[in-house]
Each structure stands twice: as C-alpha cells, then as structure tokens.
Amino acid sequence: MKRLSIKLKITLYITLILSAFAVAMMMITVNFARTSSVHQLKDTLREEVNSLYGGFKFVSAKEEKLPPEGQRPPEGELPPEGQGAFNGYGGGDKDKAPRKFTLTVPADAKYENRGVDLFVWADLSNEVNTENICFTKGALPAELKFDTAWKTDKIFELNGYYVFVRFIEDPIISKKGIWVCGAIDTSDTRTAAYNTTRLTLIQIPFVILLAAVLSYFVSKHTFKPVAKITEAAATIAASNDLSQRLNMGEGKDELSTLASTFDGMLDTIERNFEKEKQFTADASHELRTPVAVIMAQSEFALDPKATKEDRTEALNSINRQSKKMNKLLSELLNLARADNKVEALEKESFDICELAEMVLAENDAYAKEKNISLSLETKEAVFVRADQTQIMRVLINLISNAVKYGKEGGTVSVSVEDKGDGHILCKVIDDGIGISPEDLKCIWNRFFRADSARSSDSGSIGLGLPMVKSIIETHGGTVSAESVLGEGSVFSFYI
C-alpha cells in the first residue's frame, strides 16, 4: 500500500479534527437551542399566568365602595368582571350577615395568549349561607385535567405540556380559594431543536469540505520549502557540487530555520571536504618525496658499479627516509584517531607543572646545543583532570617547537595559571624567530610550514600543531597563538 504524503496526512488530520469539532459544536448548538427554547417557553408561561393571577384580589369590605343597590348582581351569581361579588360572596342585604371580603375578577382577561392556555378554578366560601361558590374560566388542553393537588408556584411537565399554577387562598377558609393555571405545549422546544439540528447538518458537510480544501492548500504552500530542500539535496547528490545552497533568506518559521541549518550544514561539509582534499594532496606530496628517495637510493645501491661506501650511504639515506615516513604515518594515525574519537580519554588528576618540568628536562640537551635557557615560571603545584599522556604530547610539541625555532642564547619558559573549577591556562613563551601575521593564520592547518621558519630541512612535517589543537579540543578546551616576527611567540592552551 502506498504511503500517504505528509501534506495529505495533515489535510486528513485537520479535516478529522474540524469534523469532530463541527459535530461537537452541533451538539452544543442543538442543546443550547433546546435549552433556550425551554427557558423561553417557561418564561412565557410564567408571565401569562402571573398576569392573570394579578387580576384576582380579595378586598376588605371596609375598603370597598359599594355600588348602588340596583347595580348589585342577583343572589348567588358572580359579579361582572372588574366588580366585586356582593351577594354570592359576602352579600350586603340588611337581613343577612355583614360582608367581610369582596372578590375582584380581572376585566377583559385573555384565557389563550402567546400559545398559553389559561384556566381559573374557584372554590370559595359563602359568608351568608356557608355554601361553596365554585366557578371556572378558560380551559386547559384536552390532554390535561385540572387537579387541585397540583403543586403551585413551580413549573412542571405533564402529558407533553409545561404547567404552572398560582393559588390565591380564601381569606375565610384555608385550603379554599382560586387556582390560576396555565399550560404550554412542549413540542415547541423539540421543533426548535429539530430545526437547529437540520440547519447544522446541512452546514457541516460544507464546513468539512471547506476545511479540507483550505488545509490542503495551506499545507501545500507551507511545504514548498521542503520541496525546494529535497530538490537541492537531489541536485547536490547527483552533481557532487557542494557549493550549491538553498538561499531562502532569513525567516522566523521552522522551515526557514531548517533551510538555514541545511545551508550551514553544507558549509561545514564543504569546508571539511576541501580540508580532506587538501590533506590528501599534502599527505601524498609528503610521502612522494621519501618514497622517491628510497626508490632512487635502492636502485643506486643495487647498481653493480656501486662501491661499498656508495651502498652504505644509500642505506643510510633509505633509513632516514623510512624513519621520516614512519613518523609521518604515526602522526597521521594519531590525527585520524583524534578526529574520529577512537581513543577514549583516560582522565586523571595530576600536577601539570610537574609534567611540564619533565618535558623541559627532556629538551634540555637540545636546548644547550643552541644555548637556550629553559625555565618553569610556576613553582607551586597546579592540578588538572585530563588525559596525562595526551597533555604530555601537547607539551612536547609546543616546547620542542619553541626550542627548534628559538634563537641562539634565547629563552623558553612555561607558565601555568590555575583558573579555578579544575581549569588551567598554560603558556609556552619563546623569544625566537617568530611567525608572520600571514603565516599565523595557517599554523593550525595540517602540513603547513612557514617558508622562513619551518622548512623541510628542520624535519618538520607540519602535523605537530594540528595535533595539539585536536587534543585540546577533544578535552573541550581552546588553543591560541600570538607572535611577532623576529621577536618570539606565545602558544597557550586552556582546558
């Protein structure tokens, strides 16, 4: 099965995420629509019931102004809406008990409004003859049958309707009075939820399609640098031209950073490749001379006309060139091991001043030939944790070079400074021939020899200082050189 591209994967991931998000939002929207519709229905129901409920009042007879005798309703009948119940509820005839309260019925009341069915049930006491006065107004839906046991002041659901009941208690007899009831169909909430769901379901496919298209074009645009990087890498691999670069410019996004890092990697690879080419050329050149000498001297020694002295001289020359080749190959091997980190550092704590004193003592005989004075400026012990054998190689190279290129009657001194936290700074100072500024830039390059100072006659092959640099950097330190032509040099290393 063919693997999906990253662009397609991103498109699918974004589409799936947005689809899940759209479904979640649909559910939230439907639930919100239903909840809002329920609240709206209940608010409408509560407002309508409260509006009708506020029109029914029991008024004390002391506060009531009775209408003229001829305008009172007949005995046992309810008063007109908006007027008091005079005869049926606490009538005002002289031969009957005095009236205590009067009921006021709301005038022009609507018993069906805004989808709410309103119903009034009255069960009242009669002050005159103790008979009940009952009446009803309005009507409830056929699915509901009013029951005085319904809970009041709270909305409840019954048979597909929201019901709300308010109760006005009879001031004469408790548990009697007027029930004002309202009912509204709950199917309105389902209709709102259904309409919202249908609208959302219609919109979701378009949202998903739009998300897929946009995510594809966004990912395609975003991955343009990746395509460019791939193309450049393929071109470089095919042509072996390490000078090519992406050159995408500076950017703050991750792909621009990747491209910049890729260019930096190519810079490093190109530099190392050029170094390797130069190193190979220099090594070949250095080996060519002794090999040519060995071949020439061996042919000369094999010549039947050669005398015993000629053969002896030829063998001595071959021996010298063989030693030179052996030294070259040994240093090349050490450099290769250092570059590849084949040899693990065997770190230990030792007194570097004592080590420097030993190396100075080994070079004492050679220094006396040139009347050069050797000295160790640091008298107290300075301990460092490093590979003692490797650091000895560093000191041997630096001190022997200082003696080799020192002037007659000059001085070579070594100083060690404790920098704390186990770090030291070591300097090898001479007052010899020095190094020109142009050559100073190249002394760490392999096989480099300054014409005026490091000729092939001195026996140098130009690998000592590169070895020093490699060893110190392997220890995580730094190495540097300062020199003035004709006045001397200072080589320092910090580990």
Side-chain angles (χ1 to χ4, degrees):
M1 181 177 178
K2 188 177 179 180
R3 297 179 63 182
L4 298 177
S5 65
I6 296 178
K7 288 187 291 186
L8 187 55
K9 285 181 180 179
I10 291 177
T11 301
L12 291 176
Y13 290 154
I14 294 177
T15 303
L16 289 174
I17 291 172
L18 288 180
S19 299
F21 179 75
V23 171
M25 290 302 298
M26 181 196 74
M27 295 174 64
I28 292 173
T29 303
V30 170
N31 184 63
F32 177 77
R34 185 179 184 282
T35 303
S36 299
S37 179
V38 167
H39 284 302
Q40 185 177 2
L41 288 178
K42 289 182 177 181
D43 289 342
T44 302
L45 175 60
R46 191 179 290 107
E47 290 172 4
E48 292 298 322
V49 170
N50 286 335
S51 176
L52 182 60
Y53 169 83
F56 289 90
K57 296 180 181 178
F58 289 103
V59 182
S60 173
K62 295 179 180 179
E63 301 174 358
E64 183 188 7
K65 294 182 179 180
L66 297 178
E69 188 71 26
Q71 298 181 11
R72 300 178 187 181
E75 179 68 25
E77 294 183 9
L78 290 173
E81 292 187 359
Q83 297 183 12
F86 306 117
N87 296 328
Y89 189 70
D93 292 344
K94 295 179 181 179
D95 57 345
K96 295 181 180 180
R99 180 183 64 257
K100 295 180 179 179
F101 294 95
T102 300
L103 171 65
T104 301
V105 180
D108 302 326
K110 295 181 179 179
Y111 292 91
E112 185 179 356
N113 190 35
R114 297 165 62 188
V116 179
D117 294 319
L118 296 168
F119 176 71
V120 178
W121 172 275
D123 183 7
L124 307 171
S125 62
N126 190 321
E127 299 175 52
V128 179
N129 52 24
T130 67
E131 295 179 359
N132 287 355
I133 299 176
C134 297
F135 68 90
T136 61
K137 285 187 175 293
L140 289 174
E143 294 84 355
L144 299 176
K145 185 177 181 181
F146 178 73
D147 188 347
T148 56
W150 283 353
K151 57 186 178 182
T152 59
D153 298 329
K154 289 185 179 180
I155 296 177
F156 57 93
E157 188 173 356
L158 182 64
N159 296 339
Y161 290 87
Y162 290 122
V163 180
F164 184 50
V165 180
R166 297 294 304 274
F167 176 65
I168 307 173
E169 190 175 26
D170 190 322
I172 303 300
I173 301 176
S174 62
K175 298 185 180 180
K176 288 183 177 292
I178 300 172
W179 285 263
V180 180
C181 177
I184 191 168
D185 194 345
T186 60
S187 62
D188 292 345
T189 61
R190 293 190 293 272
T191 301
Y194 171 76
N195 291 335
T196 305
T197 303
R198 185 175 61 178
L199 179 62
T200 307
L201 288 174
I202 293 173
Q203 293 174 342
I204 281 180
F206 293 99
V207 172
I208 294 175
L209 179 61
L210 180 62
V213 173
L214 289 178
S215 60
Y216 177 77
F217 281 104
V218 168
S219 61
K220 184 178 180 180
H221 175 75
T222 303
F223 277 90
K224 276 185 178 180
V226 176
K228 191 173 182 181
I229 292 172
T230 305
E231 182 181 355
T235 304
I236 292 171
S239 64
N240 291 325
D241 182 8
L242 295 176
S243 63
Q244 295 189 49
R245 299 293 182 270
L246 298 179
N247 295 324
M248 294 181 59
E250 296 294 330
K252 296 182 179 180
D253 59 277
E254 291 81 356
L255 291 177
S256 297
T257 304
L258 174 62
S260 178
T261 305
F262 189 81
D263 284 343
M265 181 187 67
L266 288 176
D267 289 338
T268 303
I269 293 175
E270 185 180 16
R271 285 196 302 269
N272 291 335
F273 183 70
E274 292 300 324
K275 283 183 179 179
E276 292 300 324
K277 285 175 61 179
Q278 184 64 39
F279 176 78
T280 303
D282 291 339
S284 301
H285 176 74
E286 293 294 329
L287 289 172
R288 185 181 296 115
T289 300
V291 168
V293 172
I294 289 173
M295 289 178 64
Q297 291 298 325
S298 61
E299 290 176 358
F300 176 71
L302 292 173
D303 189 346
K305 298 179 180 180
T307 64
K308 183 177 180 179
E309 290 77 9
D310 292 337
R311 289 188 176 92
T312 301
E313 184 180 352
L315 289 174
N316 286 332
S317 177
I318 291 173
N319 184 50
R320 286 194 302 272
Q321 296 300 325
S322 298
K323 288 180 179 179
K324 183 177 180 180
M325 287 179 62
N326 182 64
K327 181 181 179 182
L328 173 61
L329 292 173
S330 177
E331 293 194 7
L332 286 174
L333 179 61
N334 290 332
L335 278 173
R337 287 176 175 176
D339 288 343
N340 296 322
K341 297 181 174 57
V342 174
E343 288 187 275
L345 295 178
E346 297 180 2
K347 291 188 176 182
E348 57 182 316
S349 182
F350 61 91
D351 182 3
I352 192 172
C353 293
E354 182 180 353
L355 187 64
E357 192 172 12
M358 291 172 55
V359 176
L360 287 171
E362 290 180 2
N363 284 270
D364 186 60
Y366 183 35
K368 284 181 178 179
E369 293 179 4
K370 300 180 67 173
N371 197 25
I372 292 176
S373 175
L374 302 179
S375 64
L376 178 63
E377 296 183 1
T378 307
K379 302 302 180 182
E380 66 275 8
V382 178
F383 286 88
V384 65
R385 184 170 179 78
D387 189 317
Q388 187 171 359
T389 303
Q390 299 286 359
I391 299 303
M392 179 179 285
R393 288 182 184 175
V394 171
L395 290 172
I396 289 173
N397 271 282
L398 296 181
I399 293 174
S400 61
N401 279 352
V403 175
K404 185 185 297 183
Y405 304 115
K407 65 181 179 181
E408 292 285 340
T411 61
V412 173
S413 62
V414 179
S415 69
V416 181
E417 183 180 352
D418 189 351
K419 290 295 185 178
D421 296 329
H423 296 289
I424 61 97
L425 175 64
C426 181
K427 295 182 179 181
V428 178
I429 308 165
D430 69 75
D431 56 358
I433 60 177
I435 307 170
S436 68
E438 294 78 14
D439 293 337
L440 191 62
K441 300 175 183 178
C442 305
I443 60 173
W444 307 110
N445 296 339
R446 297 173 183 182
F447 296 110
F448 175 80
R449 293 190 296 268
D451 293 338
S452 61
R454 292 166 173 78
S455 65
S456 58
D457 295 337
S458 66
S460 172
I461 56 178
L463 292 177
L465 292 180
M467 171 65 72
V468 169
K469 184 173 185 292
S470 178
I471 291 174
I472 296 302
E473 289 181 348
T474 302
H475 279 78
T478 57
V479 64
S480 61
E482 300 174 8
S483 184
V484 178
L485 190 63
E487 295 184 8
S489 306
V490 178
F491 286 82
S492 308
F493 65 88
Y494 171 85
I495 55 174

